[in-house]
């Protein structure tokens, strides 16, 4: 017997009107503002919604509500989604992809332009922030990289699992640039979100080794091995530490 067709999942722009009072006394008046969100249906009747900025792209933290809550509090706006929001979302994705491609090809100045264009559309975009931070680190522009670092540590989404490769790469580049204290502060923030990540502890250990704090390096390696006893590289470094400073012949940072 044929099954009923699956109901299409919600994905698009929704709006709600917010009324606020402006002025006082006889000059007071009510002003209505339309607020847009991007909504995407997940499993179990849950909807992920995200605010839309003045450039018409979803930005900032997301929150989850029920389908009933969405349909009660917001109105679908397919015309705004298809004619305004979707083109801007595609442009943002295009600029980020361009920046990442140029960075991979060793073209940091061209990459910077693309990432800057992306940040003009969404200053909180995680991939664009990491990308331009990597540009500055690879060019040795430490002060600019620190500005990006300060911005990233305030963004919880930067340390979500889907961005793991980005935050690992950024931390490694901080270490490679001799920015050890900043790297450790950054890794400490990452630990708030990934306490069971053995590679994070390994990167912390590498940072301590390069700043010659071997005791803390040993502690971090032991934590990495407690999470993953089969982590061969961490075990190898721990064996080198056991032989003392003479056993450490640091290879180029990886």
């Amino acid at each position: 017997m044929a099954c009923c067709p699956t109901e299409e999942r919600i994905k698009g722009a929704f709006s709600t009107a917010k009324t606020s009072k402006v002025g006082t006394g006889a000059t007071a008046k009510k002003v209505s503002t339309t607020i847009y969100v991007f909504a995407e249906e997940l499993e179990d009747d849950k909807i992920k919604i995200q605010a839309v900025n003045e450039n018409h792209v979803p930005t900032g933290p997301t929150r989850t509500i029920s389908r009933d809550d969405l349909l009660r509090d917001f109105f679908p706006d397919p015309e705004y989604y298809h004619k305004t929001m979707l083109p801007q979302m595609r442009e943002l994705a295009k600029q980020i992809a361009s920046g990442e491609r140029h960075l991979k090809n060793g073209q940091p100045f061209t990459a910077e332009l693309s990432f800057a264009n992306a940040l003009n559309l969404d200053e909180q975009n995680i991939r664009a922030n990491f990308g331009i931070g990597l540009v500055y680190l690879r060019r040795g522009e430490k002060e600019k990289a620190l500005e990006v670092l300060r911005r990233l540590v305030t963004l919880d989404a930067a340390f979500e699992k889907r961005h793991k490769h980005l935050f690992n790469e950024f931390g490694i580049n901080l270490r490679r640039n001799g920015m050890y204290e900043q790297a450790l502060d950054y890794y400490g923030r990452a630990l708030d979100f990934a306490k069971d990540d053995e590679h994070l502890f390994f990167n912390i250990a590498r940072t301590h080794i390069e700043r010659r704090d071997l005791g803390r390096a040993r502690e971090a390696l032991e934590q990495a091995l407690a999470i993953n006893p089969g982590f061969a590289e961490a075990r190898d470094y721990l064996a080198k530490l056991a032989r003392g400073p003479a056993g450490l012949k640091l290879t180029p940072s990886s």
Side-chain angles (χ1 to χ4, degrees), residues 32-234:
S32 181
T33 305
T34 300
I35 297 174
Y36 291 98
V37 298
F38 175 66
E40 186 172 12
E41 189 166 5
L42 308 173
E43 296 178 353
D44 302 325
D45 195 34
K46 297 298 183 183
I47 308 288
K48 179 178 71 174
I49 65 171
Q50 190 173 23
V52 175
N53 68 14
E54 66 276 8
N55 296 314
H56 312 291
V57 296
T59 186
T62 62
R63 62 188 178 98
T64 303
I65 63 174
S66 70
R67 174 190 275 256
D68 288 344
D69 287 341
L70 176 74
L71 298 179
R72 183 193 66 219
D73 298 334
F74 296 90
F75 297 95
D77 197 331
E79 182 177 10
Y80 172 74
Y81 177 65
H82 289 288
K83 291 186 177 180
T84 305
M85 185 190 296
L86 194 55
Q88 289 293 86
M89 291 171 67
R90 288 171 174 164
E91 179 62 20
L92 175 63
K94 175 184 172 184
Q95 293 297 335
I96 293 170
S98 172
E100 290 174 344
R101 182 174 65 253
H102 287 299
L103 190 59
K104 184 178 179 181
N105 292 338
Q107 301 167 313
F109 289 97
T110 308
E112 181 184 7
L113 290 175
S114 295
F115 288 131
N117 288 337
L119 289 170
N120 283 335
L121 290 171
D122 177 11
E123 64 180 10
Q124 295 187 58
N125 186 273
I126 303 303
R127 287 171 60 190
N129 273 289
F130 274 121
I132 204 161
L134 287 170
V135 164
Y136 295 145
L137 286 171
R138 292 184 187 181
R139 294 206 310 237
E141 298 179 35
K142 295 183 179 181
E143 287 303 316
K144 288 185 177 181
L146 281 175
E147 290 180 17
V148 176
L149 175 62
R150 284 190 283 268
R151 185 160 64 242
L152 280 170
V153 296
T154 68
L155 303 175
D156 289 353
F159 302 98
E160 292 176 355
K161 287 187 177 180
R162 63 196 173 106
H163 295 128
K164 178 179 174 180
H165 69 288
L166 292 171
F167 76 66
N168 274 334
E169 185 178 0
F170 191 76
I172 288 168
N173 275 269
L174 286 170
R175 170 167 56 80
R176 285 175 171 173
N177 279 270
M179 301 168 69
Y180 302 128
E181 295 303 323
Q182 291 85 358
L184 290 171
D185 287 343
Y186 170 77
Y187 284 138
R189 173 68 168 148
L191 281 174
D192 291 338
F193 297 84
K195 289 184 172 65
D196 59 348
D197 186 344
E198 68 270 29
H199 294 284
L200 184 51
F201 282 107
F202 180 75
N203 286 331
I204 291 171
R206 286 294 306 267
T207 306
H208 283 309
I209 286 171
E210 293 192 19
R211 64 197 289 268
R212 295 301 190 266
D213 189 340
L214 304 188
R216 290 188 179 180
R218 186 177 295 104
E219 290 175 5
L221 290 169
E222 288 171 347
Q223 286 174 299
L225 288 166
I227 296 168
N228 179 8
F231 192 174
E233 197 169 5

